Amino acid sequence: MRRQPLLTFVLALTAIACGGSSHHHSTTEPPADEAASPTAEEARAFVARVNEDLRRLAVNQQRAEWIKSTYITHDTEIVAARANEALMAYTSQAIADARRFDGLELDEDTARQLHLLTISQSLPAPNDPAKRRRLAEIAAQLEGLYGRGKVCSDPADPETCRDLQDLSNVLAESRDYDELLEAWNGWRTIATPMRPMYQEFVSLGNEGAREIGFDDLGELWRAGYDMSPGEFDAEVERLWEQVAPLYEQLHCYVRAKLSEHYGAERVPPQGPIPAHLLGNMWAQSWENVYPLVEPYETEGDIDVTRALERNGYSSRDMVRMGESFFTSLGLAPLPDTFWERSMFDKPADRDVVCHASAWDVEFDNDLRIKMCIQINEEDFITIHHELGHNYYYRYYYELPILYQSGAHDGFHEGIGDTLALSVTPSYLQEIGVLQNVQRSDEAVINLQMKEALAKIAFLPFGKMIDQWRWRVFSGDIGPDEYNQGWWDLRQRYQGIAAPNERTEAMFDPGAKFHVPGNTPYTRYFLAHILQFQFHRALCREAGFEGPLHECSIHGSTEAGAKLQAMLAMGASRPWPDALEAISGERAMDASALVEYFAPLLEWIQEQNEGRTCGW
Ligand code: X8Z
Ligand code: ZN
């Protein structure tokens, strides 16, 4: 379970770990004679039993998580925390028990599953039951604080409250500096109370990680990539260097445009960009400022949001359209239970975790998504993202639980996005969403700009979150410098700056879901690179020969077969094998991303001539 993908993962992971509820042999105290000299046969039996136990505990935990996430209350938080506690207790014990097979000659499958067991939790708990309980409760409460977060001008009057969706809509649509600032500041107030809890969380999580043999929680997270944590660190740097020049060009161009709009006093032409002006609560993707930076205004913007609204689609219609992309590749339709059990819309009368996620609650094709869908382009793309997770689950659910994960977590995050790259204007015209799509060089640049604002702008953000967390877990960034460390990295990687003073009384990292939700984030950085690599491979498979940015694999069963083959491997093989299955390549590589954006890069470089880039 654990390495499950997604958010769900979060859950799972977060809390994950199994525990059990209940009955059953508590794991694994071996009979005395076995303890003396364990055999490979015993190791195989051990792994089989762990898979069985994990299934029981994880299903229980996922159900509790689902209920909590779709109905946040004091009680559902506690029930979910208890289920997590049980999973954590079981998993840590199983990891300890598995040590007796250390050094034994094992078959590949058994060895791999034992390895996956060790790295399966994103939040391992200490063995001390009181500490474990405390950790499970803090984890649930942190996520609860985020999910319930609201900003009220009159706390006594719910009518005056705004939640993340309301505030995000301000960030997306307003062009008024002060109004933006108010929404940006407002959301960050919900994170302040998380600060002492997060400090305790870090210390307990680290203790759990040390007990299962890692230096700290960050080292455990970096151990999930079929290479040493140090090698992984270097791998992330290598990929970042491949794409950083593109980001710097985009940053330079966008900064100049924002400076024109807001004035050079507010957006200094050579400094970092104020973090609240980029159309998104975390400045993680910038497509909402497209109107301010549009390359060719006469070309007519392709406004998918307007088209979706005009066609009167419901949230369910949008999910159906997403599914139809997958089935066009020859993949199976979603099960009926998906349509019965998913949450597509934000309930009017209760708090839920609106952050989108995809689930297989029973690890048995019990697929669901949980979203608060708004009828707009961003959510249309997110639907594809979530369905990518569901289709991964769909094709590996028959594997042992320990293999029910992505080849690595970046693969899981990249599947839906890969398909979404094929949601081109021509495809949208084909399915009747858009009419009269224009084709010209100018239209290409416009479209690429919009995509770059989503994909290239994301890259440094995707990297910096865990740069911060890895340092926090290692103690490099201490509790008295959480915010300072955060903003230093924001500036260094993203070239953005806080629009006002941030103090150590605040806890800005907590205003981003994955921090209180304890979801590792480097996966998204990797996914943003891998999705172009997957896209290039599938386009080749589909027989497409033009420039990469024009390809859509819609309708290609050849591409679908390749994709399916990789999904069905789950985590059963080291990830380079999975990458090879889909692309013939064994290393992650950003050259497909660079190739995809080649027309835009050339154009932006011309625009930036005479400008001083960087910050
Ligand atoms: O969290 C998500 C998905 C669920 S796994 C909606 N994403 C990251 C984010 O929102 O911060 C997708 C892209 C990055
Ligand atoms: Zn995801």
Side-chain angles (χ1 to χ4, degrees), residues 20-31:
S21 28
S22 53
H23 16 232
H24 286 278
H25 22 292
S26 65
T27 336
T28 41
E29 213 33 57

Side-chain angles (χ1 to χ4, degrees), residues 6-7 282 284 355-358 382 385-386 389 413 417 458 461 512-514 519 521 523-524 528:
L6 359 181
L7 281 197
W282 309 277
Q284 70 179 60
H355 192 89
S357 56
T382 301
H385 175 94
E386 297 308 333
H389 290 307
E413 295 301 339
D417 287 14
F458 181 81
F461 182 79
K512 175 65 195 164
F513 172 78
H514 303 69
T519 310
Y521 210 84
R523 54 181 64 181
Y524 302 107
H528 274 67

